Amino acid sequence: MRSTSKPNRVSRGCSLAALLLALGWQACHAGPLRERWVERQAAAAAQDGATAPAATLPAGTRVIRDVPYGARPEHRFDVYLPARAQAAPVIFLVHGGGWERGDKAHGPLVENKVAHWVGKGFVLISTNYRMLPEAQPDEQARDVARAFAAAQQRAAQWGADPRRYILMGHSAGAHLAALLASSPTLTARHGVSPWLGTVLLDSAVLDVVQLMEQRHLGLFDDAFGADPLYWPTVSPYHLLQQATAPLLAVCSSQRAAPCPDAQRFAAKAVALGSRVEVQPEDLGHGEINRQLGLASPYTARVDSFLRSLDAWVAHLLSR
């Protein structure tokens, strides 16, 4: 059982909201000036999320809320269906929130993605999972694997093709998606079938060991604890031992850590025979999530990766 002591905790002035804006910092130094900066950034993030206009759902979109995949209240996902689904590809979305908060229906998570991809004939599924302190990241990854398997098994109900699933996550959700992509043992144990590819949207971390051995935000102590034996068990970089499905790692070039972390992960994956692309974007951590799906070169670049996965996906994206 891993230790819960936190000898390396950095100032708690570094809140989760600040993490969502400045996750790439390797340390958050104490001091009134820095704490005031953090508070301003957190307030701005909250206001931005509260005032962002809702995207219009494509005509005929049907939403099925709270489909269960387990016994717990958190074991639920939402399904967004196009008006006419025919062998529809599925984007399976895992929300972020620092492993301790977040929700499958959060507007900046789903709205632009639904408007873009469901409008082109995709099914989009957004899942919840248990959070800290009830469930640690390894347990959260198992929840996501169960949800993913359940969604694959029900594909026919929605006019979807179980062979055409794409796993996508943002921030902590991208870390959990990377755990699934890096651990065939985990996915096989929970009945997950092979999927087309994985898209990581500014992953919170890919090398947990490296992160924890440096100065880091206190939130990571909450997630990963103080036991060095636990860190590699929830580190996608360390779990990666064989070729994976194609993977796209989108990373914020506005911050120091995300793109080098993604490039190091990609180099190991490519050496094992995987196809991995790193896509730097001049966007903040939250913007990488919120702006995906808007008509932009950023969305076009992600679509280019998706087209490379499957001919039918490419056909739908060309419409």
Side-chain angles (χ1 to χ4, degrees), residues 45 94 101 118 148 154 162 185 228 248 284 301 313:
V94 187
R101 64 189 71 185
V118 175
F148 198 25
R154 300 177 190 181
T185 301
L248 173 67
R301 285 187 284 270
V313 170

Side-chain angles (χ1 to χ4, degrees), residues 6-256:
K6 302 177 178 66
N8 294 322
R9 181 179 299 278
V10 184
S11 169
R12 296 302 293 178
C14 300
S15 66
L16 174 63
L19 172 70
L20 296 178
L21 288 170
L23 190 55
W25 291 9
Q26 294 301 309
C28 186
H29 305 294
L33 182 62
R34 180 55 51 82
E35 289 177 1
R36 287 197 296 273
W37 184 90
V38 165
E39 290 170 359
R40 288 196 298 271
Q41 296 301 317
Q47 181 66 18
D48 182 60
T51 60
T56 301
L57 297 184
T61 299
R62 185 163 62 99
V63 185
I64 306 173
R65 301 282 184 193
D66 295 324
V67 177
Y69 67 86
R72 297 301 304 271
E74 301 91 339
H75 291 161
R76 302 289 185 272
F77 55 71
D78 295 341
V79 184
Y80 297 82
L81 299 172
R84 297 177 181 83
Q86 179 182 2
V90 177
I91 292 177
F92 187 89
L93 189 59
V94 187
H95 70 76
W99 303 276
E100 66 178 354
R101 64 189 71 185
D103 187 77
K104 57 184 170 53
H106 184 50
L109 172 73
V110 297
E111 286 168 352
N112 291 324
K113 299 176 184 67
V114 169
H116 178 63
W117 282 304
V118 175
K120 293 181 179 296
F122 287 64
V123 171
L124 188 140
I125 298 173
S126 183
T127 194
N128 274 349
Y129 49 93
R130 290 172 297 158
M131 303 269 89
L132 294 171
E134 178 188 352
Q136 302 300 323
D138 58 323
E139 298 170 292
Q140 294 178 16
R142 288 194 285 272
D143 278 0
V144 173
R146 294 184 189 102
F148 198 25
Q152 288 178 321
Q153 292 160 10
R154 300 177 190 181
Q157 300 175 18
W158 309 313
D161 187 335
R163 301 166 300 174
R164 292 192 169 104
Y165 274 58
I166 297 159
L167 179 61
M168 179 182 294
H170 172 247
S171 191
H175 165 257
L176 299 176
L179 285 177
L180 267 64
S182 303
S183 180
T185 301
L186 168 66
T187 54
R189 183 182 303 129
H190 294 289
V192 177
S193 300
W195 63 97
L196 289 180
T198 304
V199 179
L200 308 180
L201 303 176
D202 213 32
S203 179
V205 59
L206 291 169
D207 187 339
V208 174
V209 175
Q210 178 176 268
L211 172 77
M212 297 302 288
E213 288 177 345
Q214 301 171 350
R215 285 184 60 83
H216 52 267
L217 297 174
L219 180 69
F220 293 114
D221 293 310
D222 292 339
F224 303 121
D227 182 0
L229 296 178
Y230 179 70
W231 301 340
T233 70
V234 286
S235 176
Y237 180 85
H238 290 81
L239 291 174
L240 184 64
Q241 299 297 331
Q242 63 186 68
T244 71
L247 185 144
L248 173 67
V250 179
C251 57
S252 171
S253 62
Q254 295 183 357
R255 301 179 292 111

